[in-house]
Amino acid sequence: MSQSVATGLDRQSPHAALGGHGQVRVIADSGRSANFTIRGVVPDAVGDPPRIWVYPSRGVDAGGVSKLFAGAAPTPFGKARVLTPPPSAVTVQIGATPATQTAWAESEGAGFIERVKIGGNQLIVIAPHGGVIEAGTVEQIAVLEAHLAQLCPELGQPTVWSCEGKLCRDNYDRLHIASGDIDERSFPGLAQIWDTVARYRPKLRFRYALALHGTRRTDRSIVIGGRASVADKKLVRDAIAAKFTAAGETLNFCLLDATNTVVPAPGANFDCCWSTARGGTSVRNIVNRLSANNGNVSGHGAFQIEQSKDLRAPAAGSPPYNVWIAEGLAAAMCQLLLTPRSPSAARGSAEAPP
């Protein structure tokens, strides 16, 4: 976008860790809208009006005309509104202290909605692509919270952040923002977490961070990624598997280490080659910036949980796979958080500034 637009939106400076200039919502004069990441700012040409450039491209995370006109033929447009933050700034309070939840939503309650619930600094649970973007992920947070309160009430409430897409169509294509691009300056709820929640340690924002995501696969598969240690990831895997085993059901796991390499599972014959595209191991990923770890020390770190569609949003009549996963995650988090940190973790040898 041109410098004058970036200045008006206070997005002239790139993010120190991400390089981009944050996210905006572009609404064309035809009424179609989409979320975009600002990739660069260029000087205004003499005599030219403020401009934004939406480049033709392939892939929803790359943006471009294919994103703005997802599911429809591109049509010319000359004017557009550019909004930041992408969710509009209508604020409502839900619940009572200390469980106050703030939602930034469009006035009609549809479109793109952000919610935050401020809890402690031991655990943050996020679902950046809820609603109809990656269906079922936000609903799992409520199950996880309830099970945490039942299993380990002494830990208190986790901090929760989510975004939901509720457009009539094409929510994934138009509203999905890559986790490695999410800029806290563009989301008032996420900025509130940055400003309000005390760091767990000087270089560690939360002890653990858990991100719920979804794939379009239908093979009962879960990818456990992020930059937490392999030992901690195996504990998470085993806790989820126990829920399925107790019900006489099975599922497929792909476990990735912090270098995005598949960790072999003895006896497993499920092909995990595809899962490296879903590993969530980049240091830029929002979940890893919330709980940084180099992957070699247990006791803190981030998990990215990618779930196939048949697990996170089971068809009518199917077993409650989504509930079992959320309850398994809660059991794992209780076990991890109630375990004292190892001496090496306490020294912060694997911590890096988020």
Side-chain angles (χ1 to χ4, degrees):
M1 64 175 54
S2 60
Q3 181 71 46
S4 57
V5 178
T7 300
L9 298 173
D10 193 23
R11 287 293 175 268
Q12 60 270 37
S13 300
H15 190 287
L18 304 177
H21 294 253
Q23 283 73 46
V24 292
R25 181 96 172 269
V26 175
I27 305 177
D29 52 12
S30 64
R32 293 190 69 86
S33 67
N35 291 335
F36 288 88
T37 295
I38 306 168
R39 294 300 185 192
V41 175
V42 299
D44 292 86
V46 177
D48 273 3
R51 294 178 183 271
I52 58 171
W53 289 265
V54 181
Y55 294 100
S57 61
R58 294 182 181 272
V60 295
D61 289 336
V65 174
S66 61
K67 185 179 178 83
L68 186 58
F69 294 98
T75 56
F77 67 96
K79 294 182 179 179
R81 288 184 294 152
V82 183
L83 309 179
T84 189
S88 65
V90 177
T91 305
V92 294
Q93 298 290 336
I94 304 172
T97 305
T100 298
Q101 176 176 272
T102 304
W104 285 264
E106 297 178 56
S107 57
E108 68 273 22
F112 188 59
I113 302 169
E114 180 190 17
R115 304 183 193 276
V116 63
K117 186 185 294 183
I118 300 297
N121 61 7
Q122 292 279 317
L123 174 66
I124 182 169
V125 184
I126 67 173
H129 308 133
V132 197
I133 304 173
E134 292 172 358
T137 52
V138 166
E139 290 77 5
Q140 286 179 302
I141 292 180
V143 177
L144 193 153
E145 286 184 281
H147 211 55
L148 278 173
Q150 178 184 350
L151 293 176
C152 45
E154 63 270 36
L155 291 178
Q157 294 181 328
T159 294
V160 174
W161 178 73
S162 65
C163 290
E164 300 173 53
K166 295 192 174 183
L167 297 176
C168 294
R169 57 179 296 178
D170 307 318
N171 283 265
Y172 182 90
D173 291 346
R174 292 163 61 187
L175 299 179
H176 186 276
I177 298 169
S179 295
D181 288 329
I182 293 174
D183 186 333
E184 64 274 12
R185 300 175 302 173
S186 299
F187 295 88
L190 192 56
Q192 185 177 340
I193 291 171
W194 241 256
D195 295 339
T196 303
V197 181
R199 286 180 179 269
Y200 175 69
R201 290 180 62 82
K203 294 183 179 181
L204 192 63
R205 192 167 293 280
F206 289 87
R207 183 174 175 187
Y208 282 106
L210 176 64
L212 301 177
H213 290 270
T215 72
R216 295 179 179 180
R217 298 174 69 93
T218 55
D219 52 7
R220 285 202 210 173
S221 62
I222 291 183
V223 179
I224 302 178
R227 296 184 66 81
S229 71
V230 169
D232 285 354
K233 289 173 182 175
K234 287 181 177 179
L235 188 152
V236 169
R237 178 198 62 194
D238 294 346
I240 297 173
K243 289 288 181 179
F244 280 71
T245 300
E249 298 280 348
T250 60
L251 73 167
N252 299 302
F253 285 100
C254 295
L255 195 152
L256 302 173
D257 66 18
T259 67
N260 211 40
T261 302
V262 175
V263 178
N269 58 5
F270 183 67
D271 183 4
C272 288
C273 292
W274 60 273
S275 66
T276 56
R278 297 282 186 168
T281 56
S282 168
V283 294
R284 293 164 46 105
N285 189 307
I286 183 61
V287 73
N288 295 319
R289 293 201 295 123
L290 288 165
S291 186
N293 193 335
N294 291 332
N296 57 351
V297 174
S298 297
H300 69 272
F303 305 92
Q304 177 151 312
I305 309 298
E306 292 275 3
Q307 310 161 79
S308 59
K309 188 175 181 179
D310 52 349
L311 291 179
R312 58 185 164 87
S318 298
Y321 302 130
N322 52 343
V323 173
W324 297 344
I325 293 169
E327 290 181 348
L329 288 169
M333 292 301 106
C334 283
Q335 186 173 345
L336 289 170
L337 290 165
L338 293 177
T339 301
R341 302 180 71 198
S342 66
S344 59
R347 289 195 300 270
S349 58
E351 297 175 8

